[in-house]
Amino acid sequence: MFSLRDVSMRVQGIRLRVHDEMAVKLLFWELEQHLKSSSGASVVAIDNKIEQAMDLVKSHLMYAVREEVEVLKEQIKELIERNSQLEQENTLLKTLASPEQMAQFQAQVQTGSPPAQQTAAPSGPPSATAASLAQPASHSAGPSA
């Protein structure tokens, strides 16, 4: 049969199991409550991290856009300067061209044909030719000392 000691041990074991079972239930309840209460906090934390990541992406994009804008501004500045130079050359060439040359040029523009090479024209880019033609006129304009 069972001794008093055995019975006492069994009762204690039952108490421990009940106590352990209650402790485990309490632990799960506390964990569940924690998860329920912290899920709102977790969502807020995740939202904050997403917002930080979006801010970081935004700042990188803005930096890249600013760099690109600076490059484009510089290109625009260079193109404006080049356009101004070409307009000055065009004006100079128009003033130096004879009426026959202008008429021939207008006819070529209207037909879309390429300009014909003149055998007497000096070789080199038109800007060099225009500059070399313009320089002697400016030097001979006034009396030399």
Side-chain angles (χ1 to χ4, degrees):
M1 289 226 54
F2 295 108
S3 69
L4 187 57
R5 186 170 187 216
D6 290 337
V7 172
S8 172
M9 296 280 285
R10 281 189 176 194
V11 169
Q12 246 183 341
I14 291 171
R15 281 186 196 156
L16 285 175
R17 272 192 260 150
V18 169
H19 184 279
D20 289 345
E21 188 176 302
M22 287 182 72
V24 168
K25 283 184 179 181
L26 181 62
L27 179 66
F28 276 112
W29 181 81
E30 287 178 0
L31 182 60
E32 188 177 57
Q33 293 304 312
H34 177 71
L35 289 174
K36 283 181 182 177
S37 66
S38 68
S39 68
S42 295
V43 169
V44 170
I46 290 171
D47 285 348
N48 286 341
K49 291 202 182 271
I50 290 171
E51 189 173 341
Q52 288 173 353
M54 289 173 63
D55 287 344
L56 185 63
V57 168
K58 180 182 171 185
S59 66
H60 283 293
L61 281 173
M62 291 302 292
Y63 179 76
V65 166
R66 283 188 196 109
E67 280 187 344
E68 189 67 21
V69 165
E70 289 303 316
V71 168
L72 291 173
K73 280 182 179 178
E74 188 63 32
Q75 287 177 348
I76 289 170
K77 181 181 170 186
E78 291 170 3
L79 289 171
I80 288 172
E81 289 173 1
R82 179 72 178 134
N83 188 44
S84 176
Q85 289 173 348
L86 291 173
E87 285 176 350
Q88 288 175 355
E89 283 183 22
N90 189 26
T91 303
L92 178 63
L93 290 172
K94 283 181 179 178
T95 59
L96 296 174
S98 66
E100 296 84 17
Q101 289 172 325
M102 288 301 292
Q104 182 184 8
F105 175 71
Q106 290 297 331
Q108 288 173 347
V109 168
Q110 289 174 353
T111 60
S113 62
Q117 288 284 340
Q118 293 182 359
T119 55
S123 62
S127 60
T129 306
S132 64
L133 290 174
Q135 286 177 353
S138 63
H139 289 295
S140 61
S144 57

